[in-house]
Amino acid sequence: MKIKELMALELFQSCKLLTKEIGLDNEVDSAMVLEALDIENWSQKNQLILTSFYAFNDLPESEFATFFEKMKKVGVSGLVVKMDRLITMIPDWLIDYCFIYEIPLIKVEQEISYEKIILTIYEPLLNHRGHLLRTYYDVRQRFTKVGRNVHSFENIMETFYQLIQLPCSLDIPSLNIHLHYDSPFEIANILERSYVQTNEFTKNIYQRVTFNTSSGQQMTALASEIVTPFDQLSTLMVYQQGEIITESQMMILENVIDIIYERLQTEYLIKKDRYTRLNNLADAILQNTPTSPDELNSLLDDAKINHHRYYQGIAFSSKNGDTQALDRNILKQLCALRPKRIFFEHYNYTIILFNLETPEKEIQKKEIQKLFDTSFIKAHELTFSMSLVKEKKGLKEILLECLDAIRFNQVLQIDPVVSISDLGIFRYFMQEEQLDQLERLIPKQLKKLWEQSPDLFDTLYTFFQSGRNYKRTAEILFLHSKTIRYRLNKIEGLLKIDLTNPLQLVNYEIGTYLLHQRSENND
């Protein structure tokens, strides 16, 4: 209730408003009789203060100003001064202060009791509160019926639209739900946002959003963000088109937000249950692959990946701490590569098992490289591994190939995206306990050359990479061929090897490659 509505009540029509048009739109939520100066300890916002001003007798003017400053700070709606045998007229200084601090001042005659004034103020307030509570209850019953009979956001919003009678929309990005009722308004740019003051019966936060539509029309909407158990917030909007949202409509909004939140919780639990079931199913297929063909077929049928003959695994892992949100984003992009798949999430890796129509449909390295930028992969220290294409009898090997390739690649960094077929001879060192054996392949003199003569080592590495071609080595290093021959002769002397003897060079060539990779890792 506003001050101007209060003055329209029968009892207050015989009273006098001494401050003209000041504060007529001030809200009145309660009233209190106060005969004390410490108003900050007793009063509250939107409260009407009833007083006879006994406490102000013989006070210095400075304390009057302090009292009014406190009233303004608290947010008092107005002052009602009741005349009695000791106060027969309101002093001019009091009226002046009310004008200065924009606090409405109402004069009530002596014959009107405090009891009548309080009852007159609270009767419409209580009726209004009762109406709001009844509205909330009735709307709640309507939505409870909807929730009991129909399990969809569409039906919740249809009921909401019937009740609110205004254009509205609901966006739930995490579930890819975008619902509009009445005319959809496409937001081109937001001009202003401001928080909306609500009453004591509301618990949600609302913003008034002013925006331009794609057609150039300026619109206003009431928006509320709904916290969800998913990664993203949901947004409910009511487009006002010039109308003011009433308190009764706010009760409808409060109800629909509660129902949407409850439904989101249900959706999350369903998804979580489904995720757990599928994760366990993928674990059974990949880690504990049944030896019985019938049992394996049953698991593949449950996972809906028993349509085709061939399978391939793609795994990824990151060395960077907690990467749950990152992993979900990567997983989503990888899963889109082929339609038939199931995935298994472990605490330090994730693997996706794809069901392929033919071996030619296998996922290629370039497909993964196209999805993720090199800088993104490096920033998160990601490793992607790809198994060979297998038939059902080889399913058990898929997880082992992917994990061994990840482990090997994290040591040597062959490439951020590595296929098991890329490893060549190194496949024989893929078991974790055998990785240490690689160190023994590196001759001591070669390691010394790598540590003490980087230019000579780089020349030897380039020589091997260019197929032991002197001219090509010189071109790559931008050096004269005589310089290359000089360096290689020096290397032969230091390492005591014959660069024309392929058999003698096997360990040196492997060792050179391993040390070169170690240099790149250090960089």
Side-chain angles (χ1 to χ4, degrees), residues 347-416:
Y347 71 92
N348 60 0
Y349 69 86
T350 299
I351 181 168
I352 310 164
L353 179 64
F354 293 92
N355 188 203
L356 307 174
E357 296 177 31
T358 64
E360 290 73 29
K361 295 285 186 178
E362 71 172 317
I363 297 168
Q364 304 289 333
K365 285 177 62 174
K366 61 184 179 182
E367 294 182 68
I368 298 175
Q369 291 165 340
K370 190 176 179 180
L371 286 177
F372 307 104
D373 185 76
T374 304
S375 58
F376 172 80
I377 292 174
K378 285 184 178 179
H380 298 286
E381 297 185 76
L382 288 164
T383 297
F384 295 86
S385 67
M386 308 165 63
S387 77
L388 298 174
V389 174
K390 309 280 185 181
E391 295 188 27
K392 283 182 192 176
K393 61 183 179 182
L395 271 174
K396 191 175 182 66
E397 300 169 20
I398 286 179
L399 179 62
L400 296 175
E401 287 186 358
C402 286
L403 295 186
D404 285 342
I406 284 177
R407 191 182 304 116
F408 186 88
N409 199 49
Q410 286 178 340
V411 173
L412 294 175
Q413 286 296 314
I414 295 170
D415 192 280

Coordinates of all heavy atoms in Angstrom, one line a residue, residues 347-416:
Y347 N 39.7 -41.4 -13.4 CA 40.1 -40.2 -12.7 C 41.2 -39.5 -13.5 O 41.4 -38.3 -13.3 CB 40.4 -40.4 -11.3 CG 41.7 -41.2 -11.0 CD1 42.9 -40.6 -10.9 CD2 41.7 -42.6 -11.0 CE1 44.1 -41.3 -10.7 CE2 42.8 -43.3 -10.7 CZ 44.0 -42.7 -10.6 OH 45.2 -43.4 -10.4
N348 N 42.0 -40.3 -14.3 CA 43.2 -39.6 -15.0 C 43.2 -39.8 -16.5 O 44.1 -39.5 -17.1 CB 44.5 -40.0 -14.4 CG 44.7 -41.5 -14.5 OD1 43.9 -42.3 -15.0 ND2 45.8 -42.0 -14.0
Y349 N 42.1 -40.4 -17.0 CA 42.0 -40.5 -18.5 C 40.5 -40.7 -18.8 O 39.7 -41.1 -18.0 CB 42.8 -41.6 -19.0 CG 42.4 -43.0 -18.7 CD1 41.4 -43.7 -19.4 CD2 42.9 -43.7 -17.6 CE1 41.0 -44.9 -19.1 CE2 42.5 -44.9 -17.2 CZ 41.5 -45.6 -17.9 OH 41.1 -46.8 -17.6
T350 N 40.2 -40.5 -20.1 CA 38.8 -40.8 -20.6 C 39.0 -41.5 -21.9 O 39.9 -41.1 -22.7 CB 38.0 -39.5 -20.8 OG1 37.8 -38.8 -19.6 CG2 36.6 -39.8 -21.4
I351 N 38.2 -42.6 -22.2 CA 38.3 -43.3 -23.4 C 36.9 -43.4 -24.0 O 35.9 -43.7 -23.3 CB 39.0 -44.7 -23.2 CG1 39.1 -45.4 -24.6 CG2 38.2 -45.5 -22.2 CD1 39.9 -46.6 -24.6
I352 N 36.8 -43.3 -25.3 CA 35.6 -43.4 -26.1 C 35.7 -44.6 -27.0 O 36.7 -44.7 -27.8 CB 35.3 -42.2 -26.9 CG1 35.4 -40.9 -26.0 CG2 33.9 -42.3 -27.5 CD1 35.5 -39.6 -26.8
L353 N 34.8 -45.5 -27.0 CA 34.8 -46.7 -27.8 C 33.7 -46.4 -29.0 O 32.6 -46.3 -28.7 CB 34.4 -47.9 -27.1 CG 34.3 -49.2 -27.9 CD1 35.7 -49.6 -28.4 CD2 33.8 -50.4 -27.0
F354 N 34.2 -46.4 -30.2 CA 33.4 -46.2 -31.4 C 33.1 -47.5 -32.1 O 33.9 -48.3 -32.2 CB 34.0 -45.2 -32.4 CG 34.2 -43.8 -31.8 CD1 35.4 -43.4 -31.2 CD2 33.2 -42.9 -32.0 CE1 35.6 -42.1 -30.7 CE2 33.4 -41.6 -31.5 CZ 34.6 -41.2 -30.9
N355 N 31.8 -47.6 -32.5 CA 31.4 -48.7 -33.3 C 31.4 -48.3 -34.8 O 30.6 -47.4 -35.2 CB 30.0 -49.2 -32.9 CG 29.6 -50.5 -33.5 OD1 28.4 -50.8 -33.6 ND2 30.5 -51.3 -34.0
L356 N 32.3 -48.9 -35.6 CA 32.4 -48.4 -37.0 C 31.8 -49.4 -38.0 O 31.9 -50.6 -37.9 CB 33.9 -48.2 -37.3 CG 34.7 -47.4 -36.3 CD1 36.2 -47.4 -36.7 CD2 34.2 -45.9 -36.3
E357 N 31.3 -48.8 -39.1 CA 30.7 -49.6 -40.1 C 31.7 -50.5 -40.9 O 31.6 -51.7 -41.1 CB 30.0 -48.8 -41.2 CG 28.8 -48.0 -40.6 CD 28.1 -47.1 -41.6 OE1 28.2 -47.4 -42.8 OE2 27.6 -46.0 -41.2
T358 N 32.9 -49.8 -41.2 CA 34.0 -50.5 -41.9 C 35.3 -50.0 -41.4 O 35.3 -48.9 -40.8 CB 33.9 -50.2 -43.5 OG1 34.1 -48.8 -43.7 CG2 32.5 -50.6 -44.0
P359 N 36.4 -50.7 -41.7 CA 37.7 -50.2 -41.3 C 38.0 -48.8 -41.9 O 38.8 -48.0 -41.3 CB 38.7 -51.3 -41.8 CG 37.8 -52.5 -41.8 CD 36.5 -52.1 -42.2
E360 N 37.5 -48.6 -43.1 CA 37.8 -47.3 -43.8 C 37.1 -46.1 -43.0 O 37.5 -45.0 -43.3 CB 37.2 -47.4 -45.2 CG 38.0 -48.3 -46.1 CD 37.7 -49.8 -45.9 OE1 36.6 -50.1 -45.4 OE2 38.6 -50.6 -46.1
K361 N 36.2 -46.4 -42.1 CA 35.5 -45.3 -41.4 C 36.3 -45.0 -40.1 O 35.8 -44.2 -39.3 CB 34.1 -45.8 -41.0 CG 33.2 -46.0 -42.1 CD 32.7 -44.7 -42.7 CE 31.6 -44.9 -43.8 NZ 31.1 -43.7 -44.3
E362 N 37.5 -45.5 -39.9 CA 38.3 -45.2 -38.7 C 38.5 -43.7 -38.6 O 38.6 -43.0 -39.6 CB 39.6 -46.0 -38.7 CG 40.6 -45.5 -39.7 CD 41.9 -46.2 -39.5 OE1 42.4 -46.4 -38.4 OE2 42.6 -46.6 -40.5
I363 N 38.7 -43.3 -37.3 CA 38.9 -41.9 -37.1 C 40.4 -41.6 -37.3 O 41.3 -42.4 -36.8 CB 38.6 -41.6 -35.6 CG1 37.0 -41.7 -35.4 CG2 39.0 -40.1 -35.3 CD1 36.6 -41.7 -34.0
Q364 N 40.7 -40.6 -38.1 CA 42.0 -40.2 -38.5 C 42.6 -39.2 -37.5 O 41.9 -38.4 -36.9 CB 42.1 -39.7 -39.9 CG 41.5 -40.6 -40.9 CD 42.4 -41.8 -41.2 OE1 43.6 -41.8 -41.0 NE2 41.7 -42.9 -41.6
K365 N 43.9 -39.1 -37.4 CA 44.6 -38.1 -36.6 C 44.2 -36.7 -37.0 O 43.9 -35.8 -36.1 CB 46.1 -38.2 -36.7 CG 46.7 -39.4 -36.0 CD 48.2 -39.5 -36.2 CE 48.9 -38.3 -35.7 NZ 50.4 -38.5 -35.8
K366 N 44.0 -36.4 -38.2 CA 43.7 -35.1 -38.7 C 42.4 -34.6 -38.2 O 42.1 -33.4 -38.1 CB 43.8 -35.0 -40.2 CG 42.8 -35.9 -41.0 CD 43.1 -35.8 -42.5 CE 42.1 -36.8 -43.2 NZ 42.3 -36.7 -44.7
E367 N 41.4 -35.6 -38.0 CA 40.1 -35.2 -37.5 C 40.2 -34.6 -36.1 O 39.5 -33.7 -35.7 CB 39.2 -36.4 -37.5 CG 38.8 -36.9 -38.9 CD 37.9 -38.1 -38.8 OE1 36.7 -37.9 -38.5 OE2 38.3 -39.2 -39.2
I368 N 41.1 -35.2 -35.2 CA 41.3 -34.8 -33.9 C 42.1 -33.5 -33.9 O 41.7 -32.5 -33.2 CB 42.0 -35.8 -33.0 CG1 41.1 -37.1 -32.9 CG2 42.3 -35.3 -31.6 CD1 41.7 -38.3 -32.2
Q369 N 43.1 -33.4 -34.7 CA 43.9 -32.2 -34.8 C 43.1 -31.0 -35.3 O 43.3 -29.8 -34.9 CB 45.1 -32.4 -35.8 CG 46.1 -33.4 -35.3 CD 47.1 -33.9 -36.3 OE1 46.8 -33.8 -37.5 NE2 48.2 -34.4 -35.9
K370 N 42.0 -31.2 -36.1 CA 41.2 -30.2 -36.6 C 40.3 -29.6 -35.4 O 39.9 -28.5 -35.4 CB 40.3 -30.7 -37.7 CG 39.5 -29.6 -38.5 CD 38.8 -30.2 -39.7 CE 38.0 -29.2 -40.4 NZ 37.3 -29.7 -41.6
L371 N 40.0 -30.5 -34.5 CA 39.1 -30.1 -33.4 C 39.7 -29.2 -32.4 O 39.1 -28.3 -31.8 CB 38.5 -31.4 -32.7 CG 37.5 -32.2 -33.4 CD1 37.1 -33.5 -32.5 CD2 36.2 -31.4 -33.7
F372 N 41.0 -29.5 -32.1 CA 41.7 -28.8 -31.0 C 43.0 -28.1 -31.5 O 43.8 -28.7 -32.1 CB 42.1 -29.8 -29.9 CG 40.9 -30.6 -29.5 CD1 40.8 -31.9 -29.9 CD2 39.9 -30.1 -28.7 CE1 39.7 -32.7 -29.4 CE2 38.8 -30.8 -28.3 CZ 38.7 -32.1 -28.6
D373 N 43.1 -26.8 -31.2 CA 44.2 -26.0 -31.6 C 45.5 -26.5 -30.9 O 45.4 -26.9 -29.7 CB 43.9 -24.5 -31.3 CG 45.0 -23.6 -31.8 OD1 45.1 -23.4 -33.0 OD2 45.8 -23.2 -30.9
T374 N 46.6 -26.4 -31.5 CA 47.9 -26.8 -30.9 C 48.2 -26.1 -29.6 O 48.6 -26.7 -28.6 CB 49.0 -26.6 -31.9 OG1 48.8 -27.3 -33.1 CG2 50.4 -27.1 -31.3
S375 N 47.9 -24.8 -29.6 CA 48.2 -24.0 -28.4 C 47.3 -24.5 -27.2 O 47.7 -24.5 -26.1 CB 47.9 -22.5 -28.7 OG 46.6 -22.3 -29.1
F376 N 46.0 -24.9 -27.6 CA 45.1 -25.4 -26.5 C 45.6 -26.7 -26.0 O 45.6 -26.9 -24.7 CB 43.7 -25.6 -27.2 CG 42.7 -26.3 -26.3 CD1 42.0 -25.6 -25.3 CD2 42.5 -27.6 -26.4 CE1 41.1 -26.2 -24.5 CE2 41.6 -28.3 -25.6 CZ 40.9 -27.6 -24.7
I377 N 46.1 -27.6 -26.8 CA 46.6 -28.9 -26.4 C 47.9 -28.7 -25.5 O 48.0 -29.3 -24.4 CB 47.0 -29.7 -27.6 CG1 45.7 -30.1 -28.4 CG2 47.7 -31.0 -27.2 CD1 45.9 -30.9 -29.7
K378 N 48.7 -27.8 -25.9 CA 50.0 -27.5 -25.1 C 49.6 -26.9 -23.8 O 50.2 -27.2 -22.8 CB 50.9 -26.6 -25.9 CG 51.6 -27.3 -27.0 CD 52.7 -26.4 -27.7 CE 53.4 -27.1 -28.8 NZ 54.4 -26.2 -29.5
A379 N 48.7 -25.9 -23.8 CA 48.4 -25.2 -22.5 C 47.8 -26.2 -21.5 O 48.1 -26.0 -20.3 CB 47.3 -24.1 -22.8
H380 N 47.1 -27.2 -21.9 CA 46.5 -28.1 -20.9 C 47.3 -29.4 -20.9 O 46.8 -30.4 -20.2 CB 45.0 -28.4 -21.3 CG 44.2 -27.1 -21.2 ND1 43.8 -26.6 -20.1 CD2 43.7 -26.4 -22.2 CE1 43.1 -25.5 -20.3 NE2 43.0 -25.3 -21.6
E381 N 48.4 -29.5 -21.5 CA 49.3 -30.7 -21.5 C 48.5 -31.9 -21.9 O 48.5 -32.9 -21.2 CB 50.0 -30.8 -20.2 CG 51.0 -29.7 -19.9 CD 51.7 -30.0 -18.6 OE1 52.7 -30.8 -18.6 OE2 51.4 -29.4 -17.6
L382 N 47.7 -31.9 -23.0 CA 46.9 -33.0 -23.4 C 47.6 -34.0 -24.2 O 48.5 -33.6 -25.0 CB 45.7 -32.4 -24.2 CG 44.6 -31.6 -23.4 CD1 43.7 -30.8 -24.3 CD2 43.8 -32.6 -22.5
T383 N 47.2 -35.2 -24.1 CA 47.7 -36.3 -25.0 C 46.5 -37.0 -25.5 O 45.6 -37.4 -24.7 CB 48.6 -37.2 -24.2 OG1 49.8 -36.5 -23.8 CG2 49.1 -38.4 -25.2
F384 N 46.4 -37.2 -26.8 CA 45.3 -38.0 -27.4 C 45.9 -39.3 -28.0 O 47.0 -39.2 -28.6 CB 44.6 -37.2 -28.5 CG 43.9 -36.0 -28.1 CD1 44.5 -34.8 -27.9 CD2 42.5 -36.1 -27.7 CE1 43.8 -33.7 -27.5 CE2 41.8 -35.0 -27.3 CZ 42.5 -33.8 -27.2
S385 N 45.3 -40.4 -27.8 CA 45.8 -41.6 -28.4 C 44.7 -42.4 -29.1 O 43.5 -42.3 -28.7 CB 46.4 -42.5 -27.3 OG 45.4 -43.0 -26.4
M386 N 45.1 -43.1 -30.1 CA 44.1 -43.8 -31.0 C 44.6 -45.3 -31.1 O 45.7 -45.6 -31.4 CB 44.1 -43.2 -32.4 CG 43.9 -41.7 -32.3 SD 44.2 -40.9 -33.9 CE 43.0 -41.7 -34.9
S387 N 43.6 -46.2 -30.9 CA 43.9 -47.6 -31.1 C 43.8 -47.9 -32.6 O 43.3 -47.2 -33.4 CB 42.9 -48.4 -30.3 OG 41.7 -48.5 -30.9
L388 N 44.2 -49.1 -32.9 CA 44.0 -49.7 -34.2 C 42.5 -50.1 -34.3 O 41.9 -50.3 -33.2 CB 44.9 -50.9 -34.5 CG 46.4 -50.6 -34.5 CD1 47.1 -51.9 -34.7 CD2 46.7 -49.6 -35.6
V389 N 42.0 -50.3 -35.5 CA 40.6 -50.8 -35.6 C 40.6 -52.3 -35.3 O 41.4 -53.0 -35.8 CB 40.1 -50.5 -37.1 CG1 38.7 -51.2 -37.3 CG2 40.0 -49.0 -37.3
K390 N 39.6 -52.7 -34.5 CA 39.5 -54.1 -34.0 C 38.2 -54.7 -34.3 O 37.2 -53.9 -34.4 CB 39.8 -54.2 -32.5 CG 41.1 -53.5 -32.0 CD 42.3 -54.3 -32.3 CE 43.5 -53.6 -31.7 NZ 44.8 -54.4 -32.0
E391 N 38.1 -56.0 -34.4 CA 36.8 -56.6 -34.3 C 36.5 -57.0 -32.9 O 37.3 -56.7 -32.0 CB 36.9 -57.9 -35.2 CG 37.1 -57.5 -36.7 CD 36.9 -58.8 -37.6 OE1 36.2 -59.7 -37.2 OE2 37.5 -58.8 -38.7
K392 N 35.4 -57.6 -32.6 CA 34.9 -57.9 -31.3 C 36.0 -58.7 -30.5 O 36.2 -58.4 -29.3 CB 33.6 -58.7 -31.3 CG 32.4 -57.9 -31.5 CD 31.2 -58.7 -31.5 CE 30.0 -58.0 -32.1 NZ 28.8 -58.8 -32.1
K393 N 36.6 -59.7 -31.1 CA 37.6 -60.5 -30.4 C 38.8 -59.7 -29.9 O 39.5 -60.1 -29.1 CB 38.0 -61.7 -31.3 CG 38.7 -61.2 -32.6 CD 39.0 -62.4 -33.5 CE 39.7 -62.0 -34.8 NZ 40.0 -63.1 -35.7
G394 N 39.0 -58.5 -30.5 CA 40.1 -57.7 -30.1 C 39.8 -56.5 -29.2 O 40.6 -55.6 -29.0
L395 N 38.5 -56.5 -28.7 CA 38.1 -55.4 -27.9 C 39.0 -55.2 -26.7 O 39.2 -54.0 -26.3 CB 36.6 -55.6 -27.4 CG 35.5 -55.1 -28.4 CD1 34.2 -55.5 -27.9 CD2 35.6 -53.6 -28.5
K396 N 39.4 -56.2 -26.1 CA 40.2 -56.1 -24.8 C 41.5 -55.4 -25.1 O 42.1 -54.8 -24.2 CB 40.5 -57.5 -24.3 CG 41.1 -57.6 -22.9 CD 41.2 -59.0 -22.4 CE 41.7 -59.0 -21.0 NZ 40.8 -58.4 -20.0
E397 N 42.0 -55.4 -26.3 CA 43.3 -54.8 -26.6 C 43.2 -53.3 -26.8 O 44.2 -52.5 -26.7 CB 43.9 -55.4 -27.9 CG 44.1 -56.9 -27.9 CD 44.4 -57.4 -29.2 OE1 44.8 -56.7 -30.1 OE2 44.2 -58.7 -29.4
I398 N 41.9 -52.8 -27.1 CA 41.8 -51.4 -27.4 C 42.2 -50.5 -26.2 O 42.9 -49.5 -26.4 CB 40.3 -51.1 -27.8 CG1 40.1 -51.6 -29.2 CG2 40.0 -49.6 -27.7 CD1 38.6 -51.5 -29.7
L399 N 41.7 -50.7 -25.0 CA 42.1 -49.9 -23.8 C 43.6 -50.0 -23.6 O 44.2 -49.0 -23.3 CB 41.3 -50.4 -22.6 CG 41.6 -49.6 -21.3 CD1 41.2 -48.1 -21.5 CD2 40.8 -50.2 -20.1
L400 N 44.1 -51.2 -23.7 CA 45.6 -51.3 -23.4 C 46.4 -50.5 -24.4 O 47.4 -49.9 -24.1 CB 46.0 -52.8 -23.5 CG 45.3 -53.7 -22.4 CD1 45.7 -55.2 -22.7 CD2 45.8 -53.3 -21.0
E401 N 46.0 -50.6 -25.7 CA 46.7 -49.8 -26.7 C 46.7 -48.3 -26.4 O 47.7 -47.6 -26.5 CB 46.2 -50.1 -28.1 CG 46.5 -51.5 -28.6 CD 46.1 -51.7 -30.1 OE1 45.5 -50.8 -30.6 OE2 46.4 -52.8 -30.6
C402 N 45.5 -47.8 -26.1 CA 45.3 -46.4 -25.9 C 46.1 -45.9 -24.6 O 46.8 -44.9 -24.7 CB 43.8 -46.1 -25.7 SG 42.9 -46.1 -27.2
L403 N 46.0 -46.7 -23.6 CA 46.7 -46.3 -22.3 C 48.2 -46.4 -22.5 O 49.0 -45.5 -22.0 CB 46.2 -47.1 -21.1 CG 44.8 -46.9 -20.7 CD1 44.4 -47.7 -19.5 CD2 44.4 -45.5 -20.6
D404 N 48.7 -47.5 -23.1 CA 50.1 -47.6 -23.3 C 50.7 -46.5 -24.2 O 51.8 -45.9 -24.0 CB 50.4 -49.0 -24.0 CG 50.3 -50.1 -23.0 OD1 50.3 -49.8 -21.8 OD2 50.2 -51.3 -23.4
A405 N 49.9 -46.1 -25.2 CA 50.3 -45.0 -26.1 C 50.4 -43.7 -25.4 O 51.3 -42.9 -25.6 CB 49.4 -44.9 -27.3
I406 N 49.4 -43.4 -24.5 CA 49.4 -42.2 -23.7 C 50.6 -42.2 -22.8 O 51.3 -41.2 -22.7 CB 48.0 -42.1 -22.9 CG1 46.9 -41.7 -23.8 CG2 48.2 -41.1 -21.7 CD1 45.5 -41.6 -23.0
R407 N 50.8 -43.3 -22.1 CA 51.9 -43.4 -21.2 C 53.3 -43.1 -21.9 O 54.1 -42.4 -21.4 CB 51.9 -44.7 -20.5 CG 52.9 -44.8 -19.3 CD 52.8 -46.2 -18.7 NE 51.5 -46.6 -18.3 CZ 50.8 -47.6 -18.8 NH1 51.3 -48.3 -19.8 NH2 49.6 -47.9 -18.4
F408 N 53.4 -43.8 -23.0 CA 54.7 -43.7 -23.8 C 54.8 -42.2 -24.3 O 55.9 -41.7 -24.2 CB 54.6 -44.7 -25.0 CG 55.9 -44.7 -25.7 CD1 56.9 -45.6 -25.4 CD2 56.1 -43.9 -26.9 CE1 58.1 -45.7 -26.1 CE2 57.3 -44.0 -27.6 CZ 58.3 -44.9 -27.2
N409 N 53.7 -41.7 -24.8 CA 53.8 -40.3 -25.4 C 54.1 -39.3 -24.3 O 54.7 -38.3 -24.6 CB 52.5 -40.0 -26.1 CG 52.6 -38.9 -27.1 OD1 53.6 -38.9 -27.9 ND2 51.8 -37.9 -27.0
Q410 N 53.5 -39.5 -23.1 CA 53.8 -38.5 -22.0 C 55.3 -38.5 -21.6 O 55.8 -37.5 -21.1 CB 52.9 -38.8 -20.8 CG 51.4 -38.4 -21.1 CD 50.5 -38.7 -19.9 OE1 50.8 -39.6 -19.1 NE2 49.4 -38.1 -19.9
V411 N 56.0 -39.6 -21.9 CA 57.4 -39.7 -21.6 C 58.2 -39.0 -22.7 O 59.1 -38.2 -22.5 CB 57.8 -41.1 -21.3 CG1 59.4 -41.2 -21.2 CG2 57.2 -41.7 -20.1
L412 N 57.8 -39.4 -24.0 CA 58.7 -39.0 -25.1 C 58.1 -37.9 -26.0 O 58.8 -37.3 -26.8 CB 59.0 -40.2 -26.0 CG 59.8 -41.3 -25.3 CD1 59.9 -42.5 -26.2 CD2 61.2 -40.8 -25.0
Q413 N 56.8 -37.6 -25.8 CA 56.2 -36.5 -26.6 C 56.4 -36.6 -28.1 O 57.0 -35.7 -28.7 CB 56.6 -35.1 -26.1 CG 56.0 -34.7 -24.8 CD 54.5 -34.6 -24.8 OE1 54.0 -33.9 -25.7 NE2 53.8 -35.1 -23.9
I414 N 56.0 -37.8 -28.6 CA 56.2 -38.0 -30.1 C 55.3 -37.0 -30.8 O 55.7 -36.3 -31.8 CB 55.8 -39.4 -30.4 CG1 56.8 -40.4 -29.8 CG2 55.7 -39.6 -32.0 CD1 56.4 -41.8 -29.9
D415 N 54.0 -36.9 -30.3 CA 53.1 -35.9 -31.0 C 51.9 -35.8 -30.0 O 51.6 -36.8 -29.3 CB 52.6 -36.5 -32.3 CG 51.9 -35.5 -33.1 OD1 50.7 -35.3 -32.9 OD2 52.5 -34.8 -34.0
P416 N 51.2 -34.6 -29.9 CA 50.1 -34.5 -29.0 C 49.0 -35.5 -29.4 O 48.2 -36.0 -28.5 CB 49.6 -33.1 -29.3 CG 50.8 -32.4 -29.8 CD 51.6 -33.3 -30.6

